[in-house]
Amino acid sequence: MERNKKRPRPYKNKTTLTVYLILRGLIILAMIRAIFRQEYQNVFLCALSLILLVMPSVVARKLEIMLPSTLEIIILLFVFAAEILGELNSFYVRVPHWDTMLHTINGFLCAAIGFALVDMLNRNDRFSFQLSPAYLALVAFCFSMTVGVLWEFFEFGGDCLLGLDMQKDTVVNAINSVNLDPTMTNTVVRIKDITDVILVHSDGSQEALGLGGYLDIGLHDTMKDLFVNFIGAAAFSVIGFFFVKGKGRSKVASRFIPQVVSPEEGTDAVQ
């Protein structure tokens, strides 16, 4: 038994390792602060973030693939931006379009994962089929959109079952509804120039919220998230298409496409 054997580092590329260590240090500091403040939900989020930071390296070793350093860094920054900045520091509320940016990146990353999974099968000698570049791009796109839809299901479940507000509200100034049609003939009634919402309490008292419009609960946010997920997925699918079409010669695409490595090369090669 070798007692002095060093533990393997999660990332071999120097730039990726530097980013990983900086983010891990920041998360540990945030966890210590949350412990002192007795914010145990934030402690859990920090622990989850630490696990997610090493997952790309673990998955790469298990699947015997090599993740480009650019893709690895994007994944690491995404985890930090979503959990630590977004949740712990309330960037979802304080920073305009923060959630939109992350959903766009998520669509891009999920397309990369879907593309890599199918591309691994496409390159495997044990399978007799060879998929065209267009089909690979389509599968990557559909995989990403499916993940996006499942995440919206998760947000809806969190709001309904746990009383959360994951599907953020949107203030709108006009609504269209057939439920407001007094003739009950399925005619759309449009109400525009809405400037406020008035709450009528059970005791008959009224309260103006001063929102500047009607409060839409979740629909606009969900559709926006799916649309930007679509943009991210489509962007990567185009990159993947030209990567396969050019037989891996694209330098830009190679920064985002996971590569299958031989057992002799291993997954710990410096990228």
Side-chain angles (χ1 to χ4, degrees):
M1 181 176 179
E2 298 181 16
R3 298 192 178 188
N4 297 326
K5 185 177 180 180
K6 295 182 179 180
R7 296 175 61 186
R9 295 183 300 181
Y11 297 100
K12 293 297 183 179
N13 178 270
K14 292 182 180 180
T15 303
T16 307
L17 180 61
T18 300
V19 173
Y20 165 76
L21 292 176
I22 292 174
L23 296 181
R24 186 177 70 170
L26 293 174
I27 293 174
I28 291 175
L29 290 176
M31 178 182 289
I32 294 174
R33 183 186 66 174
I35 292 174
F36 278 112
R37 294 184 175 183
Q38 297 183 345
E39 299 171 344
Y40 298 114
Q41 182 178 355
N42 291 344
V43 174
F44 170 77
L45 287 176
C46 290
L48 177 63
S49 299
L50 291 174
I51 295 174
L52 292 176
L53 286 184
V54 299
M55 286 304 296
S57 176
V58 173
V59 172
R61 288 193 177 96
K62 292 294 184 180
L63 298 181
E64 296 183 349
I65 60 176
M66 183 174 66
L67 299 178
S69 59
T70 301
L71 182 62
E72 285 183 326
I73 292 174
I74 292 176
I75 295 174
L76 295 177
L77 293 176
F78 177 82
V79 171
F80 186 80
E83 299 297 333
I84 305 304
L85 297 180
E87 295 290 348
L88 267 66
N89 293 278
S90 303
F91 273 36
Y92 288 124
V93 179
R94 297 178 179 177
V95 180
H97 310 300
W98 187 260
D99 183 62
T100 301
M101 177 192 70
L102 292 182
H103 274 281
T104 307
I105 297 175
N106 179 72
F108 187 91
L109 294 178
C110 287
I113 295 173
F115 184 92
L117 293 175
V118 180
D119 191 44
M120 287 170 57
L121 298 177
N122 213 31
R123 295 169 182 264
N124 198 316
D125 295 334
R126 291 179 297 177
F127 296 92
S128 58
F129 61 86
Q130 288 293 319
L131 303 180
S132 66
Y135 193 85
L136 279 172
L138 178 62
V139 171
F141 174 81
C142 292
F143 179 85
S144 177
M145 292 304 300
T146 301
V147 172
V149 170
L150 292 177
W151 177 255
E152 293 304 320
F153 286 168
F154 173 76
E155 288 189 348
F156 179 76
D159 292 352
C160 293
L161 301 177
L162 303 178
L164 303 177
D165 187 19
M166 300 184 71
Q167 294 179 303
K168 298 296 186 290
D169 306 331
T170 304
V171 176
V172 297
N173 299 109
I175 58 174
N176 302 306
S177 175
V178 297
N179 290 331
L180 300 177
D181 174 25
T183 64
M184 302 295 291
T185 57
N186 201 36
T187 302
V188 176
V189 175
R190 177 174 176 81
I191 300 179
K192 59 182 180 178
D193 300 326
I194 302 174
T195 58
D196 203 356
V197 173
I198 299 177
L199 295 181
V200 180
H201 299 283
S202 58
D203 59 0
S205 61
Q206 298 183 359
E207 177 187 0
L209 300 182
L211 298 173
Y214 167 72
L215 191 64
D216 169 76
I217 304 177
L219 175 61
H220 283 71
D221 179 74
T222 297
M223 297 309 299
K224 176 206 65 180
D225 291 345
L226 291 176
F227 181 70
V228 297
N229 191 103
F230 167 86
I231 294 175
F236 185 88
S237 298
V238 172
I239 292 176
F241 172 81
F242 286 106
F243 177 80
V244 178
K245 191 75 173 178
K247 298 181 179 180
R249 290 191 295 267
S250 173
K251 293 183 179 181
V252 175
S254 62
R255 294 178 177 271
F256 302 101
I257 306 292
Q259 298 291 311
V260 180
V261 295
S262 62
E264 293 79 11
E265 184 181 359
T267 61
D268 292 333
V270 176
Q271 302 162 46

